[in-house]
Amino acid sequence: MTAGLWQHWVLPGIWVTVQLTVYSAALAAAVAFGIGIARTHRSRLVRFLAAAYTEIFRGTSALVLMFWLFFVLPPLAGWQLVPMWAAVLALGLSYGAYGAEIVRGALNSVAPAQREAGIALSFTPWQRMRLVLLPQAVPEMVPPFCNLLIELLKGTALVSLLGVGDVSFAAYLVRLATQDSAQIYSITLVIYFVLAFGITRGMKALERRTKANLGLSTAPPGDGPRTTAKVRKPAVAGGTTARGDLR
């Protein structure tokens, strides 16, 4: 493969793939936390609507949804989405539905006594969610979110069917130009692996940090003495710290 093909097709394709992953992940995270928290709401109607969203978008193909947003929505809405944003919407909405179940499961894994302690401290529902539940649930969310983010990265290859110039589309063009499938697709596999490895390392660092903020051990078992980070004291409520009553 020549330097020109690498510079004009492959490198821009890598950048488009990174952009797609970041934008779709941001939308998916917003959807996941919004719908996931709604799945634990006290209102039965809110829980029903959140569950309906989850079931619909988990049960539909991201590729078909992408085509629907790009080809079907314009005649209905009267305006056209560019392929890039149709892909971001389809991926973000679809993977956000999977992420919502991660958030719901992590929130439900927090001990009921923690919720009761928040009520005893006269916390509002939002304060209980922000100060009690989410800080304990987020460390449990990070590993499955890491897997989901890697799946999202690989799912961005679907956008090549809309003509978006990601790394998969660039590989296709290079193959047509050089008639050498082995080299370009081997390079493409390595590119996806490097991007996925970077995501994995970043999420592991995030997991360590979230656990350290709770004072949990960050050393793996069998590695000798464990170290814990200093626990941050939450806001004082009624003269007693929430952390002191939630242990």
Side-chain angles (χ1 to χ4, degrees), residues 79-103:
W79 43 269
Q80 177 73 56
L81 281 172
V82 298
M84 178 80 165
W85 292 113
V88 168
L89 275 177
L91 293 173
L93 294 175
S94 297
Y95 284 89
Y98 292 100
E101 285 299 283
I102 295 174
V103 174

Side-chain angles (χ1 to χ4, degrees), residues 15-142:
W15 174 236
V16 170
T17 295
V18 171
Q19 285 182 298
L20 281 167
T21 304
V22 171
Y23 297 153
S24 301
L27 176 59
V31 170
F33 277 93
I35 300 298
I37 291 174
R39 292 291 305 273
T40 65
H41 199 271
R42 291 176 296 177
S43 170
R44 180 175 298 180
L45 176 61
V46 173
R47 294 199 306 271
F48 172 79
L49 294 176
Y53 175 91
T54 302
E55 294 301 327
I56 290 171
F57 282 92
R58 283 196 310 176
T60 55
S61 166
L63 177 60
V64 176
L65 178 60
M66 198 180 301
F67 286 158
W68 191 91
L69 291 171
F70 187 68
F71 295 111
V72 180
L73 183 62
L76 298 177
W79 43 269
Q80 177 73 56
L81 281 172
V82 298
M84 178 80 165
W85 292 113
V88 168
L89 275 177
L91 293 173
L93 294 175
S94 297
Y95 284 89
Y98 292 100
E101 285 299 283
I102 295 174
V103 174
R104 182 191 64 83
L107 289 175
N108 286 340
S109 70
V110 178
Q114 303 292 308
R115 301 172 185 266
E116 296 168 3
I119 295 173
L121 290 170
S122 300
F123 284 174
T124 64
W126 170 242
Q127 286 177 321
R128 292 198 298 271
M129 181 63 65
R130 182 172 61 89
L131 299 175
V132 179
L133 301 179
L134 281 177
Q136 297 180 70
V138 166
E140 303 301 323
M141 300 178 195
V142 175

Side-chain angles (χ1 to χ4, degrees), residues 1-14 165-166 170 173-174:
M1 185 170 59
T2 64
L5 293 175
W6 179 266
Q7 180 179 358
H8 296 294
W9 286 352
V10 178
L11 287 181
I14 295 173
D166 73 318
L173 295 178
V174 171

Side-chain angles (χ1 to χ4, degrees), residues 70-228:
F70 187 68
F71 295 111
V72 180
L73 183 62
L76 298 177
W79 43 269
Q80 177 73 56
L81 281 172
V82 298
M84 178 80 165
W85 292 113
V88 168
L89 275 177
L91 293 173
L93 294 175
S94 297
Y95 284 89
Y98 292 100
E101 285 299 283
I102 295 174
V103 174
R104 182 191 64 83
L107 289 175
N108 286 340
S109 70
V110 178
Q114 303 292 308
R115 301 172 185 266
E116 296 168 3
I119 295 173
L121 290 170
S122 300
F123 284 174
T124 64
W126 170 242
Q127 286 177 321
R128 292 198 298 271
M129 181 63 65
R130 182 172 61 89
L131 299 175
V132 179
L133 301 179
L134 281 177
Q136 297 180 70
V138 166
E140 303 301 323
M141 300 178 195
V142 175
F145 266 135
C146 178
N147 292 333
L148 191 62
L149 188 54
I150 292 174
E151 287 297 321
L152 174 59
L153 167 67
K154 295 185 289 186
T156 59
L158 298 174
V159 306
S160 61
L161 298 177
L162 291 181
V164 179
D166 73 318
V167 68
S168 298
F169 190 72
Y172 172 73
L173 295 178
V174 171
R175 185 185 69 81
L176 292 180
T178 63
Q179 298 300 312
D180 186 359
S181 300
Q183 183 185 29
I184 182 56
Y185 284 123
S186 297
I187 292 174
T188 304
L189 286 175
V190 172
I191 290 171
Y192 276 110
F193 170 77
V194 170
L195 293 175
F197 185 77
I199 290 173
T200 301
R201 302 309 300 174
M203 294 298 281
K204 283 185 179 295
L206 178 61
E207 182 182 7
R208 288 194 298 269
R209 181 168 183 176
T210 55
K211 287 186 175 181
N213 287 340
L214 288 178
L216 301 177
S217 173
T218 58
D223 281 1
R226 293 188 173 191
T227 59
T228 56

